[in-house]
Amino acid sequence: YAVAMNPTLALVALGYTEALEAAVQGDANLMPAAVAFRADYAKVLATLRATFAQVIATTIPDPLDTAYFSTAAAAAELTLVPAGTLVSRYGLREGDLLSPNALMAIGVEATALPAGSVVSAARAAEVRTRVRALNSEITTASRDAGVLLYDLNALFARLRASGLTVGSLRLTANYLGGLYSLSGSYPGTTVHALAANEILG
């Protein structure tokens, strides 16, 4: 379909949906194997390059950097329940991440968090490792195909670490922090604009 559009510019941003599903489910094996991913990715790039379009590839953002996942400290700030209370009440461990469903349950003072609403630190680490592996393949495939590469992963990580100042507002990657949609997993218009400006720059 993309080739049929006879593009002059093609932006290839693949892999985030799979990474997000893996993060939400806490199962890194839901992402493709790195070798097979690279082969398929290289075919996409080669096919688009054959149209003589300008091709830009992006790395896969780490879903764990989005507002969908909250630390106990971030959840405490949003729900006004002390982090220590959250840890003891819900049996959280160091590095566990909470989904929006968990935040809602905390907000109504539920006695237990919904099944699947907490991703353990160990499962999160497995997802991060797989995302890094896929991004390594994207980097190699992009270099081999001679296409430009934009590090979308680095942008998400930067926003998670530092937030963004827009005028007098300080936006963060926390849930309801202003950088992500209400789903928590997809960036809002401000982040899209920032990424576009960086790509064009």
Side-chain angles (χ1 to χ4, degrees):
Y1 178 78
V3 170
M5 295 293 289
N6 193 27
T8 57
L9 173 66
L11 179 67
V12 181
L14 299 173
Y16 180 66
T17 298
E18 293 80 0
L20 177 60
E21 181 181 2
V24 170
Q25 299 298 327
D27 184 358
N29 291 320
L30 293 175
M31 283 185 277
V35 174
F37 179 84
R38 180 179 174 185
D40 291 340
Y41 202 91
K43 288 178 185 177
V44 170
L45 295 182
T47 302
L48 290 171
R49 285 281 285 163
T51 68
F52 300 102
Q54 173 69 63
V55 180
I56 302 172
T58 72
T59 55
I60 301 169
D62 188 335
L64 300 167
D65 286 330
T66 69
Y68 188 91
F69 297 96
S70 299
T71 62
E77 184 177 334
L78 181 63
T79 63
L80 304 180
V81 178
T85 300
L86 295 178
V87 169
S88 61
R89 180 183 296 167
Y90 300 111
L92 301 177
R93 297 181 180 178
E94 181 70 26
D96 285 353
L97 298 173
L98 307 173
S99 75
N101 285 341
L103 297 179
M104 291 178 205
I106 292 167
V108 298
E109 299 182 351
T111 56
L113 298 180
S117 65
V118 178
V119 176
S120 72
R123 293 298 178 102
E126 291 171 359
V127 170
R128 285 191 189 279
T129 297
R130 184 66 67 88
V131 169
R132 282 196 297 269
L134 295 181
N135 280 334
S136 177
E137 300 298 344
I138 289 174
T139 300
T140 300
S142 298
R143 183 191 64 231
D144 291 349
V147 307
L148 297 175
L149 179 65
Y150 175 67
D151 197 350
L152 194 56
N153 180 283
L155 173 63
F156 276 47
R158 189 170 78 237
L159 293 175
R160 165 53 69 192
S162 305
L164 182 68
T165 299
V166 179
S168 61
L169 298 177
R170 182 67 179 167
L171 306 180
T172 73
N174 290 337
Y175 194 71
L176 301 182
L179 290 176
Y180 288 87
S181 64
L182 285 177
S183 72
S185 53
Y186 288 94
T189 55
T190 299
V191 178
H192 281 287
L194 178 61
N197 284 341
E198 292 188 354
I199 290 172
L200 292 172

